[in-house]
Amino acid sequence: MTTDIWQTLGQLAKNPPDLNALFKSNPTRGKKFTANACDIFMDFSKQAIDETILNNLLNLADEFNLSNKINDLLTGKKINDTENRPALHTALRLPKSESLIVDGVDVNEQVHQSLAKCETIANRIRQKIWRGYSGKAITDVVNIGVGGSDLGPLMATTALDEWADTAINVHFVSNMDGTQLNNLLKILNPQTTLFIISSKSFGTVDTLSNAKTALHWLLSAHNNKHTVLHRHFIGVSTRFDKMSEWGIHPDNQLLLWDWVGGRFSMWSAIGLAIAIKIGMDNFYELLAGANQMDRHFAGADFAGNLPVLLGLIGVWNASFLNINAHSVLPYDGRLKFFPNYLTQLEMESNGKSVARDGQKVDFKTCPILWGDIGSNAQHAFYQLLHQGTQAVSCDFITPINRYDTNQAHDKYLENQHKLSLANCLAQSQVLAFGNQALPQNLQINNDAFGQFKQYRGNQPSTTLLLTALTPKTLGSLIALYEHKVFVMSVIWQINPFDQWGVEVGKVMADSVLTALNTGVGEFDSSTDNLLTVIGNKK
């Protein structure tokens, strides 16, 4: 990268500011380096940036025409240039009263037609109107999908379980080895179980292999295939023809569009499992929260724009400070699958080494991302964060308010929530300031034994405080990270909406599967030998 501002930032990164020094030199830093929107308060004061670095990062956004790129994203320009189509996941959460014309078609009209069909189906299931082959009402819904067709709905239904107001059980199956499905089929009743097959292409082997097993399980209980398919299967895909060929009844087919990337698809009919779990009104609240963040992203000044700031900080850490690992740490058990969701969102989007112009990039792009619920992580990998040799950036996420239902045990739950908040804030302090964060009575001597208890600090982090975790704030939080990914991609000049690295493994697996079935294959010596060992053990 040869732009003047990029070079300036590169020079600044050679002597990055120390977090202890930054806070000592500016007593108001904890208030200044913050932003607030959509019931999310962001404190990025513990990032290794000063005003000079921040101003240069904001100038970098202008230099790469971020404002125009945001407009291109939101208005349906073909920004997914390697696949020659728009990336219009933001259109999935537009209010019904608006329109968005793309290539002469009102995209929003199509979206709300699909949402209306989702609402009809979800209500029929939730109200016990949908019946299985024996006439009994559906009690269990199994979402069969993988990647974005699984991670988003699984994450959201778990996070919003408190909003579930129905006896319908919602389950998720993704792994092709059959373990999840096998465990479920042992306890489910075929008469009252409904399967959602979610696959954008309706050709994903992981999903279709599980769907095929589910179909044969049902047929072993009731041999009328037409009835089983009609009463027990829903399809969500861009391919009506493939769903029909598989046997999904037209009434049970829900539409996707090729401009919806899988990891951005939970706002669409892919989110049917969410709607069944929490109701369509709450699903619309989820969409409204995301749309609110879209509007903030589009209209807020970059200096106070949450996704822009989060994305620019990510670029600074990964590309300039060479911090190659990032951990997401929600201090709320309801968000336990949020780090998994972001793992796909960020690494599948920005895990690229070729720029839009086809040239190989000469700087670090997406870091390795992982995480866990904060309290679990403290007893697992925080040792590395505090005393390891790796530089790691972190996002701490927690709601401010929880447990207000006036139950007899509320005060104990409220105390537990305060304990969780205290741990969240304390951990970010020690990561940032090391030993100097400790009060006087906890100071550690630097003697022979004390050397093992030193905390170096200077590990950068951002803290995100949600007013409360609700369908609306969850929608805003997810959209915040979607737009963070886009901001980083604009600066890195890569396309975040394709995933060719995912496709190659699927294609290769077909030829290896043929070799497993026929015993004939000619690959590298390692694969050939592994095939031989497998064959000899059967």
Side-chain angles (χ1 to χ4, degrees):
M1 192 77 72
T2 57
T3 72
D4 290 342
I5 297 173
W6 186 277
Q7 296 301 321
T8 298
L9 286 164
Q11 289 300 315
L12 292 168
K14 291 180 179 179
N15 187 28
D18 176 80
L19 289 173
N20 274 297
L22 284 173
F23 275 81
K24 287 177 180 177
S25 66
N26 183 358
T28 65
R29 178 177 173 84
K31 291 184 178 180
K32 181 176 178 58
F33 287 81
T34 64
N36 188 19
C38 307
D39 285 321
I40 300 174
F41 181 86
M42 184 170 83
D43 176 352
F44 57 98
S45 62
K46 297 186 185 76
Q47 292 288 343
I49 59 174
D50 54 22
E51 289 192 27
T52 299
I53 293 167
L54 179 58
N55 288 334
N56 274 281
L57 288 170
L58 293 170
N59 290 335
L60 190 68
D62 291 334
E63 186 173 48
F64 283 94
N65 298 311
L66 178 59
S67 182
N68 289 337
K69 300 297 185 183
I70 292 172
N71 184 67
D72 289 346
L73 170 72
L74 298 176
T75 58
K77 300 295 190 300
K78 294 182 179 179
I79 57 174
N80 182 354
D81 46 18
T82 60
E83 296 177 305
N84 193 35
R85 60 196 184 205
L88 266 178
H89 46 282
T90 54
L92 297 170
R93 55 245 193 173
L94 284 172
K96 188 176 181 179
S97 59
E98 297 187 16
S99 64
L100 178 61
I101 308 300
V102 178
D103 294 333
V105 175
D106 188 345
V107 168
N108 198 33
E109 183 178 344
Q110 293 183 339
V111 167
H112 279 274
Q113 287 173 355
S114 179
L115 287 173
K117 190 170 183 179
C118 284
E119 183 169 5
T120 298
I121 290 174
N123 287 343
R124 288 181 62 207
I125 295 167
R126 287 166 56 80
Q127 295 167 10
K128 303 290 187 178
I129 297 170
W130 191 300
R131 304 275 166 162
Y133 64 79
S134 69
K136 293 182 179 180
I138 295 299
T139 60
D140 292 85
V141 174
V142 181
N143 187 88
I144 300 178
V146 71
S149 299
D150 171 77
L151 291 169
L154 172 62
M155 177 270 295
T157 54
T158 303
L160 301 176
D161 185 64
E162 291 171 38
W163 278 262
D165 57 354
T166 176
I168 304 296
N169 301 306
V170 178
H171 314 272
F172 292 87
V173 167
S174 60
N175 202 309
M176 71 173 69
D177 74 354
T179 300
Q180 295 166 308
L181 184 60
N182 183 47
N183 289 339
L184 277 176
L185 298 185
K186 291 175 182 177
I187 61 173
L188 294 180
N189 181 350
Q191 298 178 62
T192 59
T193 301
L194 177 68
F195 294 91
I196 303 171
I197 307 175
S198 295
S199 174
K200 183 177 176 180
S201 66
F202 220 78
T204 307
V205 64
D206 319 50
T207 300
L208 293 184
S209 61
N210 279 314
K212 184 177 180 181
T213 299
L215 174 59
H216 283 270
W217 173 72
L218 278 161
L219 290 175
S220 67
H222 185 75
N223 62 8
N224 188 319
K225 187 174 183 180
H226 174 78
T227 300
V228 163
L229 286 166
H230 191 183
R231 301 285 187 90
H232 294 270
F233 285 92
I234 295 170
V236 186
S237 179
T238 61
R239 298 293 300 273
F240 283 140
D241 56 337
K242 287 192 174 183
M243 287 191 284
S244 296
E245 182 182 344
W246 199 86
I248 305 293
H249 192 279
D251 291 346
N252 301 351
Q253 296 180 14
L254 289 165
L255 176 66
L256 278 181
W257 303 270
D258 64 3
W259 42 258
V260 182
R263 56 195 174 277
F264 301 94
S265 65
M266 61 172 284
W267 320 102
S268 69
I270 291 291
L272 177 62
I274 308 171
I276 292 169
K277 183 77 171 181
I278 66 173
M280 202 67 190
D281 287 345
N282 285 318
F283 187 75
Y284 280 127
E285 280 292 291
L286 184 75
L287 300 184
N291 179 254
Q292 187 178 35
M293 183 59 72
D294 296 341
R295 293 176 186 277
H296 169 73
F297 184 44
D301 184 88
F302 285 176
N305 193 306
L306 268 64
V308 172
L309 291 168
L310 202 59
L312 292 175
I313 290 166
V315 169
W316 169 248
N317 285 334
S319 299
F320 294 99
L321 298 184
N322 291 316
I323 297 176
N324 302 319
H326 181 70
S327 190
V328 177
L329 305 164
Y331 274 76
D332 190 308
R334 296 170 294 180
L335 291 172
K336 67 178 180 179
F337 292 119
F338 192 60
N340 288 15
Y341 178 77
L342 293 185
T343 295
Q344 184 198 24
L345 177 64
E346 297 213 21
M347 293 202 287
E348 191 167 277
S349 296
N350 284 340
K352 313 284 173 61
S353 58
V354 178
R356 286 183 181 270
D357 63 5
Q359 299 299 308
K360 194 169 182 65
V361 301
D362 57 359
F363 48 82
K364 297 288 179 64
T365 57
C366 185
I368 297 167
L369 186 146
W370 89 105
D372 199 353
I373 301 170
S375 53
N376 288 346
Q378 287 178 196
H379 296 274
F381 55 80
Y382 272 41
Q383 172 64 42
L384 181 145
L385 300 184
H386 286 301
Q387 291 189 312
T389 59
Q390 304 294 324
V392 181
S393 59
C394 298
D395 286 351
F396 291 89
I397 305 170
T398 186
I400 297 171
N401 299 300
R402 197 178 177 193
Y403 300 125
D404 57 356
T405 54
N406 298 316
Q407 298 295 323
H409 56 279
D410 266 6
K411 65 178 182 179
Y412 297 100
L413 290 172
E414 179 60 25
N415 285 336
Q416 288 187 252
H417 179 56
K418 288 180 180 178
L419 180 63
S420 180
L421 281 171
N423 275 268
C424 179
L425 300 184
Q427 292 292 342
S428 68
Q429 285 184 72
V430 180
L431 283 175
F433 309 123
N435 285 9
Q436 295 186 45
L438 303 178
Q440 193 62 40
N441 63 322
L442 294 179
Q443 286 295 321
I444 299 166
N445 295 324
N446 194 18
D447 53 25
F449 184 70
Q451 292 182 49
F452 297 101
K453 296 184 178 181
Q454 300 300 312
Y455 306 101
R456 71 178 186 278
N458 219 33
Q459 292 272 53
S461 70
T462 295
T463 299
L464 297 168
L465 300 178
L466 311 183
T467 302
L469 180 60
T470 67
K472 192 170 186 179
T473 57
L474 180 65
S476 294
L477 180 67
I478 298 165
L480 166 60
Y481 276 92
E482 287 181 346
H483 296 322
K484 171 205 173 183
V485 164
F486 182 68
V487 169
M488 297 170 82
S489 77
V490 169
I491 304 303
W492 288 330
Q493 296 185 294
I494 58 179
N495 179 5
F497 301 115
D498 62 16
Q499 55 276 330
W500 301 111
V502 177
E503 304 303 325
V504 64
K506 297 178 183 178
V507 174
M508 189 65 188
D510 289 339
S511 59
V512 177
L513 179 61
T514 299
L516 279 170
N517 288 331
T518 63
V520 178
E522 190 172 335
F523 305 100
D524 59 275
S525 60
S526 171
T527 304
D528 288 343
N529 185 57
L530 291 169
L531 287 167
T532 299
V533 171
I534 292 169
N536 289 339
K537 295 293 183 180
K538 285 189 175 293

